[in-house]
Amino acid sequence: MRKSNSEFKTAFVSEAGSELSNNDYFAYVELDDYACYVLASGITDLRSTEAAKLAVEHFILSFQDNPSMGTRTLTGYMEETNRRLKDAGTEQRLKASIIAVVTDYKSLRYIEAGNVRLRMYRGGRVHHSSSDMSLAQDMVDQGRADTVLERHEERHNLYSYLGKREFFRPFVSTKIALCDGDIISLYTSGFWEHVDPQEIDDIFHEASNEPKESLDNLEDMLLSRQPMGLKSYSIAAIFVNKSYRDPERERKRKRNIKIAIIVFIVLLIIGLIAFFIYRHYQGKKEELKKTETETVEYISGNNFVRAQSSCQSALEQAKSLRESDDETRMRKYLMLIDGILAADKALQEKDYATAYDGYMTAMMNSKDADLMGMNYIETHLALAEQHLYVGDLIALGNRALDADEFDKAETAFYKARDKAAVVHDEDGRKAAMEALDKLYGKKEKQNTAGEEKIKKSTEAAVADAMKKGDGLMEKGDIEGAEKAYLEARAIANAGGDKNSRADAMKSLESVYAAKAEKATEQTKAVDAKNQMYAVASNAAEQGDKAFGTQDYVSAQVFYQSAMDKFTALGDLDQAGKMKTKLDNAVRKQGESNQSKQNAQAMEEKAKALYTAKDYAGAKQAAISAKQMYAALGNQAKVDEMNTLISQIDIDAVIDKNLK
């Protein structure tokens, strides 16, 4: 229907040029609602190739199976065509540049891969033109080329073409509306390499309604230049003398306007409803946040009764608003609050075990509720624990009382009484006092019944301890005797036996006198030993001083004395040290004697050379002797050598002047 109410005229020229066969191919199909025009150029180094023909045929067949101008559909046509070229069973890989124009007689869209070009004219002027998918086109667009595109050496270096094995990306244009008188021209590189775009524009600017006439003029222009090595060239032109106009356009426009108004009104109503629902929802959310804030404030203020009411309200609000996060948080808060209130009730009813367990559970719930109320829980948990501690102490004391462990029971009851007073547990305090009364009553009964028995056993025990002490005194074991007499005195004190206590004290006095005598003797022995240590240490110190002044003979005497005294004292460590120092002094004495002999020999040599008037040798020998005496610390000999050196210098000067 669209085709019959529009006028499209198509013509094309396609020749082999100077090649043996034509490697270009053009074909088109015009259906009732859509038309498709396809021009391809084979890319090959061979004399002939079927690539362009196969590409055009595959594309048009795909179009005829599913006519459409959709971008994704056109891309699918091109990708299917590319796949068929790659899978073609030929020895040479098939490659081609292609451009396809699809129209619904009202508008057009083109898809390309390579450098076959499209140029569209409206009112005699260029309205739209395609771009080559080549490196040369990119360089020209970026301003990196000094040569025009038609002469650039990279004009056939394509980044997209049919037959590419990887990363095949064709270009699809946007939809372009058609007007009466529009001209669409398609041409291959065999044409645009030799005819400038401006010349093509001039031909179509003067075109009539017949495309064949314009194409003949363009071919004549190309051939008149007789280009060398002219390869296959093709040019096609589609003249849109009349584009399709929809007869129901106005009615559709009015209907669309009505529909748009109705849709607008409906959307406006829906929007207003949504706005009020949203405002209502926001108000509910604000109310929820306010209630949640009140809950937190009540918990922080330890007002858990009000917090429970507020939290229940917030939970219901969160449920109605389907705020799952808020609902979960409020459930956790409510579990915490309910647990604290239950524990508080048990504490008030003095059910301390239940209260303790309740506060422990509340503490666990607090960890999931942002640690709210933790201080309150810890304080009351400690209070419940202290109340339980009072009961535990009383129970412990009762068990000890049943076992006649009076001291242990008394300690437990007193601790229970004191702890009950601290926590204001009046019942616990009374229970502890009653337990103490029971303890003292039982203790008094046992004391009365056992006093007589204790008295008899006390006298026997004192006698045994005194006898043991006397035996140890005879053996000279003063310490053991003292312990025995002290034991006798303690037994007498415990039994209230004053006579036995007096006997024990008398025996202790004899022990103390013996201990004083022994202490005096030990003091004298210690003083003597300390004095000997002082003498030995002084001898060692004197030896060190003599060694420091190189008096090695005296050092040996002192070290020997110190070593003998330390040995007598049994201090073998210090004696060993003195032995080492003594050996070192002996060695140094030997070295000193040898050095002294060497110094005397050098002195005699200096004097002999001086007598022989060998003043230079005498001076050198005197200097050496001086250095040796200085090393030995013999200052008198050093001064003597200085005098000799001065005398040698004087006599040497006199002797020189006499000569």
Side-chain angles (χ1 to χ4, degrees), residues 146 222 471:
D146 297 330
L222 170 66

Side-chain angles (χ1 to χ4, degrees), residues 434-450:
E434 290 173 358
L436 283 171
D437 292 339
K438 181 180 177 182
L439 165 69
Y440 292 135
K442 185 176 181 180
K443 193 173 182 181
E444 185 176 358
K445 285 181 180 181
Q446 289 188 359
N447 288 339
T448 302

